[in-house]
Amino acid sequence: MKVEALVAGTLLVGGCSEPRPAPAPIAATVPAPTSELATAAALWQTPVTSAAFARRTFYTWTTDDQIAELRAGKVLLSREESPEHGASYYEQVVHALAARDPLAKLLDTTTFAKSRFAWPAPWATREGWTNEHYGDQLVRVTLRPDAIILALSTATGAFEARSLDGAAADPLAHPERIAAVYFAVEPERPFARGIPRNRSAYREYVLCNEAMVQSWTVGTGDIADALAADAAALEALAHFLTTNHAPPELAGQYAAALALDNPNYALAPATLATIARHLRETPKPAPLEGGGHAVFPGMGTARKPPRVVQPTETYAQPSSYIRPSTY
């Protein structure tokens, strides 16, 4: 089962062991009301898949404190782990693979230790998890045009590498161009050998090289435009669902756009309206811009083993649950 099949089959509906066929275009199967569905379709027009994961623009939610740090230091990637939650699951997987995979060994160094987690659309990570939110401040990140994006799935335990035009790339020959890793956690598929298990299904991008960040912005017009577009699409979908059942094709398209598998993103009018409201309530701080000046530091030494902090009981998750990344 490919990543996109997992997303369409398990995200949103909470678990389906068999993949469904790729959904037909919405317009061909759901005829009315055209205007609402046309607006809502902005949510899933360019879904991230295992075959098409190269992206240049990302959004990452954060806190007031981290925005203050940005204003003070103009450094986007400043943390190697969460002070409270320890190493992310992504870091644990990369460390586990480093013993046998040369690219994982490269990523498991001090060079790529500082990171931030992101997604190509603001709405898909705004609500965080049931008991953990990433913050209500939004940062927009644009990578350099020669960036290399990697992809890693817990099912394969192997990396793919693409340039921004989708062509195959050689990250071992050009480690300085590695900008981000698309990381897919697929608990419905067997985990690759040696990878720690996790019961949560989710996807994320790990921004891991400040030198490949062309720019980042806070409180600018491009962010306001993205938030308004996402909110309008969610509101249109919510209004459509108040008088229509979601057909399988529409549900599949929506699920394929999700990043996190939890009830905060359920395909229900009230839930969609809540996400839209939170997007419209995003603070509008004084504009701030940065990036474009970091220099690749060269290859560093191997990192220490990841510090694993067990989740608190408030999460009420199975024993194999590992906390997702904290943005």
Side-chain angles (χ1 to χ4, degrees):
M1 191 191 313
K2 294 184 178 180
V3 171
E4 53 269 32
L6 165 78
V7 173
T10 62
L11 292 180
L12 176 69
V13 297
C16 176
S17 60
E18 295 297 327
R20 297 175 180 173
I26 292 295
T29 56
V30 185
T34 303
S35 60
E36 288 181 348
L37 291 181
T39 301
L43 300 173
W44 53 74
Q45 281 181 339
T46 56
V48 175
T49 71
S50 59
F53 56 83
R55 296 292 188 275
R56 187 180 182 188
T57 301
F58 299 93
Y59 296 89
T60 175
W61 292 98
T62 192
T63 62
D64 292 338
D65 289 345
Q66 291 193 31
I67 293 297
E69 291 178 9
L70 277 177
R71 291 190 183 277
K74 294 294 187 72
V75 176
L76 180 68
L77 309 182
S78 60
R79 299 186 179 185
E80 295 189 7
E81 64 172 31
S82 166
E84 179 184 359
H85 304 309
S88 69
Y89 179 56
Y90 160 79
E91 292 167 309
Q92 296 173 50
V93 170
V94 168
H95 182 74
L97 294 173
R100 68 174 189 267
D101 186 287
L103 192 46
K105 184 177 181 180
L106 185 151
L107 292 172
D108 195 35
T109 63
T110 55
T111 299
F112 298 98
K114 294 179 180 179
S115 61
R116 174 169 283 278
F117 301 88
W119 192 252
W123 74 271
T125 54
R126 172 59 183 84
E127 302 304 302
W129 294 81
T130 303
N131 293 306
E132 183 174 348
H133 293 81
Y134 305 130
D136 64 353
Q137 297 275 2
L138 189 61
V139 182
R140 184 179 192 264
V141 181
T142 302
L143 302 180
R144 293 185 181 276
D146 59 337
I148 291 176
I149 310 297
L150 308 179
L152 172 63
S153 163
T154 55
T156 65
F159 291 89
E160 291 188 42
R162 297 284 184 269
S163 58
L164 293 183
D165 63 2
D170 186 353
L172 292 176
H174 299 282
E176 74 282 358
R177 290 174 52 197
I178 297 173
V181 181
Y182 166 56
F183 180 52
V185 183
E186 304 183 71
E188 289 297 306
R189 301 173 66 186
F191 282 69
R193 176 174 58 89
I195 289 181
R197 302 300 192 258
N198 196 331
R199 291 284 295 274
S200 295
Y202 67 96
R203 308 182 296 163
E204 65 189 359
Y205 282 86
V206 186
L207 307 179
C208 59
N209 182 0
E210 186 101 17
M212 289 310 298
V213 174
Q214 178 171 293
S215 65
W216 53 261
T217 60
V218 174
T220 51
D222 48 10
I223 291 178
D225 291 344
L227 289 168
D230 278 3
L234 289 163
E235 289 162 350
L237 184 56
H239 190 266
F240 172 80
L241 292 175
T242 58
T243 55
N244 299 272
H245 292 293
E249 294 82 5
L250 188 151
Q253 295 279 20
Y254 177 78
L258 293 177
L260 311 177
D261 178 16
N262 70 67
N264 293 345
Y265 305 92
L267 187 58
T271 304
L272 300 171
T274 296
I275 303 173
R277 176 170 55 82
H278 289 165
L279 294 178
R280 294 196 183 279
E281 293 173 350
T282 301
K284 298 178 176 61
L288 176 66
E289 299 183 14
H293 303 293
V295 176
F296 187 71
M299 291 310 304
T301 58
R303 298 181 65 183
K304 295 179 180 180
R307 183 175 65 94
V308 180
V309 177
Q310 294 299 322
T312 62
E313 294 181 0
T314 59
Y315 278 74
Q317 294 286 353
S319 59
S320 59
Y321 170 82
I322 299 178
R323 185 190 301 274
S325 305
T326 298
Y327 280 43

